[in-house]
Amino acid sequence: MLDPEQVRLDLSDLAGGPVTITGAASLGAQRSTLFVDYPVAGSSTAAVAQISTSVLQAVPTTLEAHILGLVHAAGVPVPEVLTAVDELPRIKLPAMVVTRVDGETVPRQILRSLPGPDAGHELARACGVAMARIHGIDPTLLPASLPSPTNDAFLATQTEVVNLLNEPRPVVRYAIEWLRQHPIADVNPVLVHGDFRNGNLAIDRGHLNAVLDWELTHRGDPMEDLAWFCLRTWRFGNDHAPAGGFGSLAALIEGYEQGGGTFRSEAFTWWSIARSVWWANGLASQGAAFSKGLTDLIVLAASGRRVPELEYDLLTLINQS
Amino acid sequence: MIDHPDPISLLEAMAKTLDEQVVPATSGGAKHQARVVANLCRIIARELATDDQPTQRDLADLLGCDGDLETLIRELDDRLRDGTAPDNTLPVLLADARRRAEIAKPGYTDA
């Protein structure tokens, strides 16, 4: 657990002035999000401090901050970075402080707050436009240190993860092999958010105010973002609305093309299966951490029991392909 | 000797108690965890009530060998790892995934 006083001292040193922690937005397994008053140009500003406690593969926080600057310049709605550091001296964890953005981030609240289906489709279009702007950034502007896995490397990593689980996962093995046997054409890699989904968006009355949580950003196939966004997991029970549980795929594609993107159906399906594999592995790894005695958090134990949903979805996709 | 109440009834009662008594009386992280535990109780109750014989039979037919469910799953996993899985593996995996998804979340395979 984070010691709030140590965090406050670390952040105050970083700011060169007193920082006050005013509350906790979330204390997740991957990242703790704190509300803070942060000094900017002599006056106290409402901000959000994100302390990364992630065990997931993620880019360094300073690189994430650099990417936020790039996408902001490209017209993607994101919070403004006030400061970022890869290791705070006391708590030895990476931190980023950003301006506070209005809007709801809890998925079910977002779905409830939309005035009607048209608002959902409109929001899906806005998400499509935002993705197209991310993917449209000149790749020569991207830092060389940004991870850029090939599809083969992605699959090899997933095989490693299954092997490390040390429990039989025939469905995931089958799917990885299927993806190997049905390769899609490699495209010139572009900037990909990596975790663009309902839950990482700030929405204010149907308006997309910010795209959050860029720690999985990398260079890759743009269809990875669209596929991940449409995964059934992120529809929160609204299975009829593939785009985040609020919009149609058609609306998402419409926005994407309006923003200058090109939708590729085959790659979309490939990545829908590939990111289902990735998430099945992620959930199984959380469950395995419990089984191995590395954590006693019941929510992580419960993650292991969500794997069948992902496995059913990905086999259904394979069966239909 | 078999003691009563039976495990499935107990798990269902545990879930009900958490949902109806503990969840409304708590907030924040404790409320969330109570919901998660209630859900896990229901998952285990459904798992205990679900027959896994069909999966075992399917796997035995597919692999042409015998054994308990865990042994057969390990055997299939090994063959997939070695690239020697039978051609008709997909329908067996899909049927089993359907069964397990219904345990995890009833109605999940309706859509």
Side-chain angles (χ1 to χ4, degrees), chain A residues 6-179:
Chain A
Q6 296 289 310
V7 174
R8 192 188 67 78
L9 290 171
D10 266 339
L11 291 177
S12 297
D13 286 354
L14 196 62
V19 170
T20 318
I21 296 175
T22 56
S26 71
L27 299 168
Q30 312 299 338
R31 173 175 262 196
S32 292
T33 305
L34 304 169
F35 292 126
V36 296
D37 286 332
Y38 198 84
V40 177
S43 67
S44 188
T45 303
V48 175
Q50 294 168 325
I51 317 285
S52 182
T53 50
S54 177
V55 289
L56 273 180
Q57 177 193 343
V59 297
T61 298
T62 47
L63 180 58
E64 184 185 344
H66 179 76
I67 296 295
L68 275 166
L70 278 180
V71 295
H72 176 71
V76 181
V78 285
E80 185 191 342
V81 179
L82 298 174
T83 187
V85 61
D86 288 329
E87 186 180 281
L88 288 170
R90 291 179 184 80
I91 63 169
K92 309 285 181 206
L93 291 170
M96 181 158 70
V97 182
V98 298
T99 53
R100 203 179 294 181
V101 179
D102 288 336
E104 183 59 67
T105 58
V106 178
R108 286 177 202 278
Q109 302 284 1
I110 289 171
L111 296 181
R112 267 196 290 270
S113 74
L114 292 171
D118 287 348
H121 295 316
E122 196 47 53
L123 181 56
R125 265 188 287 275
C127 289
V129 171
M131 285 186 209
R133 286 185 182 154
I134 297 165
H135 302 157
I137 287 172
D138 178 0
T140 63
L141 295 176
L142 301 177
S145 57
L146 195 66
S148 186
T150 61
N151 294 353
D152 284 346
F154 173 89
L155 294 177
T157 304
Q158 295 316 304
T159 300
E160 275 172 40
V161 175
V162 186
N163 290 342
L164 280 172
L165 282 173
N166 207 22
E167 58 185 66
R169 295 250 64 101
V171 173
V172 167
R173 284 196 197 282
Y174 183 89
I176 293 171
E177 189 51 30
W178 189 92
L179 290 165

Side-chain angles (χ1 to χ4, degrees), chain B:
Chain B
M1 290 292 287
I2 298 170
D3 290 317
H4 288 275
D6 65 88
I8 292 175
S9 310
L10 278 175
L11 286 161
E12 283 166 355
M14 288 154 70
K16 193 164 181 271
T17 306
L18 286 166
D19 276 342
E20 294 178 4
Q21 308 291 329
V22 182
V23 169
T26 48
S27 63
K31 192 189 200 78
H32 178 61
Q33 301 215 12
R35 278 208 184 100
V36 170
V37 175
N39 190 40
L40 282 173
C41 289
R42 292 208 168 84
I43 290 173
I44 304 161
R46 284 192 292 272
E47 187 167 70
L48 290 172
T50 303
D51 182 8
D52 57 20
Q53 289 291 318
T55 304
Q56 192 177 351
R57 258 197 320 271
D58 284 355
L59 283 170
D61 286 350
L62 179 74
L63 300 168
C65 61
D66 262 332
D68 61 19
L69 185 58
E70 198 186 329
T71 308
L72 291 168
I73 289 172
R74 280 193 189 279
E75 175 65 22
L76 178 58
D77 197 60
D78 287 345
R79 291 204 200 173
L80 283 162
R81 188 198 279 239
D82 301 341
T84 58
D87 286 340
N88 48 340
T89 296
L90 179 59
V92 175
L93 288 178
L94 189 52
D96 183 50
R98 185 175 285 119
R99 176 185 70 89
R100 290 184 298 113
E102 283 298 322
I103 290 171
K105 202 177 258 187
Y108 194 77
T109 67
D110 294 347

Side-chain angles (χ1 to χ4, degrees), chain A residues 248-267:
Chain A
S248 66
L249 180 59
L252 174 72
I253 295 173
E254 199 180 298
Y256 191 64
E257 291 177 342
Q258 188 191 320
T262 305
F263 182 75
R264 291 153 45 240
S265 175
E266 203 188 338

Side-chain angles (χ1 to χ4, degrees), chain A residues 225-247:
Chain A
D225 271 340
L226 279 78
W228 178 243
F229 181 63
C230 291
L231 232 60
R232 207 174 155 191
T233 302
W234 309 127
R235 300 179 200 168
F236 299 93
N238 285 359
D239 291 327
H240 61 281
F246 48 73

